[in-house]
């Protein structure tokens, strides 16, 4: 079954987000008119991509008999020129032992998961209406 999430308005800028049997609250920072209670949507996107990339890398390195226990993945937006798309950067901090697997193979593994690969390919977003 494909993942599915439900988002409902709470108070102010807060949103209740649920998926499966888990929930979290998103919010805006104080300077954005929120209460800074939860992650922003952009932060959740970066966390999702980073978690997916790290999981793909862990599986890749373990399949090579390597142990990525000290691996650090940072994900951030790199602003683009006006009228162009921002870039999402996955920056890896790896031990030299892990680099022996090859840069191209490591890059492919970092974008092999379901979330990162969909973002990389530019998944289409469609808005539909459900009757009440």
């Amino acid at each position: 079954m494909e993942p599915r999430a439900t988002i409902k308005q709470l108070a102010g800028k807060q949103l209740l987000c649920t998926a499966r049997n888990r929930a979290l609250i998103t919010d805006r920072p104080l300077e954005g008119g929120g209460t800074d209670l939860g992650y922003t949507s952009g932060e959740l996107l970066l966390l999702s991509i980073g978690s997916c990339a790290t999981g793909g890398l862990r599986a890749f390195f373990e399949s090579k008999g390597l142990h990525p226990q000290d691996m650090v993945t940072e994900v951030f937006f790199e602003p683009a020129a006006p009228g162009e798309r921002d870039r999402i950067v996955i920056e890896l901090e790896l031990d030299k032992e892990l680099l022996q697997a090859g840069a191209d193979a490591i890059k492919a593994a970092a974008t092999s998961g379901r979330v990162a690969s969909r973002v990389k390919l530019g998944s289409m977003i469609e808005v539909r209406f459900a009757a009440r």
Side-chain angles (χ1 to χ4, degrees), residues 23-85:
L24 62 83
I25 294 173
T26 63
D27 197 4
R28 304 300 306 157
L30 295 173
E31 61 272 13
T35 60
D36 205 20
L37 179 68
Y39 294 109
T40 66
S41 301
E43 290 166 337
L44 285 173
L45 176 63
L46 295 176
L47 288 166
S48 179
I49 293 168
S51 176
C52 181
T54 303
L57 287 162
R58 181 186 58 231
F60 169 73
F61 288 128
E62 288 175 351
S63 76
K64 303 280 185 202
L66 300 170
H67 306 286
Q69 66 270 6
D70 294 328
M71 174 176 59
V72 176
T73 306
E74 288 201 35
V75 185
F76 55 92
F77 293 113
E78 189 174 83
E84 295 182 17
R85 285 182 170 186

